[in-house]
Amino acid sequence: MAATPPVSAPLPHPPAAARRARAVLGQLSDMDLRLLQVFKSVVECGGMSAAELELNIGTSTLSRHMKDLETRLGMVLCRRGRAGFALTPEGHQVYEATLQLLGGVDLFRSRIDDIHARMGGNLEIAVFDKTVSNPQAQIHRAIAQFHTAAPDVNLQLHVSSINAIERGLMDGRFHVGIIPAHRSSASLVYRDLFGENMQLYCAAGHDLWHKPHDSLDWEALRHYPFAGLGYHSPNMELSHSVRLPRAATGFDQESIATLILSGCFLGFLPDHYAARFEEQGLMQAVGPDRFHYQCQFVAMWRLSPAPSRVAQAFIDCLLQAHTTPA
């Protein structure tokens, strides 16, 4: 008669924290992707009420979707109430991961479209701000040519900072970026597009307003508060090279213009963008023959994986629009 094997003592239940640590997703389902797309829209709209129109879903349904996602992930993603909508630290991380995941899904769809030799899906383009008034920029022509060639592609046009565009290309959120050239990465491909003249300006109320500028040099300018961009850019490179200490910081051209218009700061702006302020008598260029620099705008995209057929078609339109006379 076989001996009865000993019965092991039951294992103790792991503590709640350990159970939560293992409460991770298994296989991703279509519903998971749908919930993550809802979460992305809610974050980018700034709350569920604002996302109603974007998603065409009622607030109660949105709230249920968000709760379902939090249950699925085992964590609280956002705080919502009278104080407003705010992501938790975990929510921020999940949002970044969501952008990468959905970007990968879009890339997969583009590849499948390539196999079927058709152009559809989304094309995510990111452009540095205040380019539309630059007469040398022909981005609108490129979009027109592309839309004629690929009318079924859903264009998503973003305006963002240089750093955000570079990060978005690296993690797959954006397919094509257009920025002022300032440094290069071995992971990205760059092609010249158009130029831009950056001029130094002051506004009414500034000590240099309607004063002679003939005797000014870079050393003299260091005595006046300067407003510059707060990230790596041609603006920052120039201000460092001529040693202009930054007394105020902006993170896009409009913030620099606002600081200049206060009458307290000097700052560089694209001459085409500042022209309307000059016409209104609100700004003037300071030593226009000396205090300026040139920016070269480039198109860029990831080296690997190679651009999808849709992205390559837009790149071709972009390059053609900037080499063919209007």
Side-chain angles (χ1 to χ4, degrees):
M1 183 175 177
T4 303
V7 177
S8 300
L11 293 174
H13 290 295
R19 291 198 301 272
R20 282 198 301 271
R22 290 200 296 269
V24 295
L25 285 172
Q27 293 293 326
L28 278 174
S29 66
D30 288 344
M31 179 53 71
D32 292 324
L33 291 176
R34 172 60 178 158
L35 293 177
L36 288 169
Q37 287 169 338
V38 168
F39 171 60
K40 174 178 176 290
S41 295
V42 169
V43 173
E44 293 174 352
C45 290
M48 282 179 285
S49 296
E52 277 190 79
L53 289 176
E54 174 70 18
L55 296 171
N56 195 27
I57 299 175
T59 302
S60 60
T61 304
L62 280 177
S63 181
R64 187 173 66 254
H65 285 339
M66 291 292 292
K67 188 64 178 176
D68 289 346
L69 180 61
E70 290 177 329
T71 300
R72 185 85 167 103
L73 297 178
M75 64 184 74
V76 176
L77 299 177
C78 59
R79 308 290 181 190
R80 38 209 187 263
R82 291 183 179 178
F85 176 88
L87 286 177
T88 63
E90 294 82 6
H92 280 288
Q93 294 183 57
V94 171
Y95 174 68
E96 292 298 325
T98 298
L99 293 178
Q100 294 177 19
L101 173 63
L102 296 181
V105 171
D106 283 341
L107 179 60
F108 175 80
R109 287 174 176 151
S110 295
R111 296 294 189 218
I112 298 303
D113 284 339
D114 287 352
I115 295 170
H116 288 287
R118 68 170 181 260
M119 289 195 285
N122 293 337
L123 178 63
E124 305 281 349
I125 307 164
V127 184
F128 187 61
D129 72 318
K130 302 299 180 287
T131 59
V132 70
S133 56
N134 187 338
Q136 296 186 60
Q138 299 298 315
I139 302 170
H140 59 289
R141 285 181 60 207
I143 290 173
Q145 292 172 18
F146 176 79
H147 183 67
T148 299
D152 294 331
V153 174
N154 181 21
L155 280 172
Q156 304 280 333
L157 186 61
H158 307 261
V159 176
S160 194
S161 69
I162 294 175
N163 291 354
I165 294 173
E166 289 173 328
R167 287 195 305 271
L169 287 169
M170 293 290 195
D171 64 25
R173 279 180 284 160
F174 302 142
H175 301 124
V176 182
I178 301 170
I179 66 168
H182 67 119
R183 61 185 175 190
S184 61
S185 166
S187 301
L188 299 173
V189 178
Y190 302 84
R191 293 290 184 271
D192 287 348
L193 292 181
F194 57 90
E196 182 170 77
N197 183 50
M198 300 292 294
Q199 199 74 51
L200 187 67
Y201 292 94
C202 69
H206 193 274
D207 290 344
L208 293 177
W209 181 253
H210 289 326
K211 298 288 179 60
H213 300 157
D214 296 342
S215 62
L216 288 175
D217 56 19
W218 290 111
E219 183 177 359
L221 289 180
R222 293 178 202 133
H223 299 290
Y224 299 96
F226 172 73
L229 292 174
Y231 50 81
H232 196 288
S233 60
N235 181 289
M236 181 176 282
E237 288 177 351
L238 185 280
S239 62
H240 283 183
S241 69
V242 297
R243 302 197 307 279
L244 287 179
R246 197 166 70 236
T249 301
F251 292 91
D252 54 31
Q253 303 290 23
E254 187 161 348
S255 60
I256 297 296
T258 303
L259 290 165
I260 295 170
L261 288 169
S262 73
C264 302
F265 305 97
L266 298 175
F268 286 99
L269 289 174
D271 57 2
H272 57 85
Y273 173 54
R276 64 188 180 100
F277 298 115
E278 290 187 283
E279 292 166 1
Q280 296 171 37
L282 301 174
M283 278 189 196
Q284 72 172 122
V286 176
D289 57 333
R290 284 162 291 144
F291 306 122
H292 61 87
Y293 65 93
Q294 295 295 314
C295 277
Q296 177 63 44
F297 274 71
V298 297
M300 59 184 190
W301 57 91
R302 279 202 296 184
L303 178 64
S304 179
S308 67
R309 183 165 172 260
V310 170
Q312 187 61 58
F314 179 75
I315 291 166
D316 293 343
C317 291
L318 198 56
L319 298 179
Q320 182 180 359
H322 287 89
T323 54
T324 305

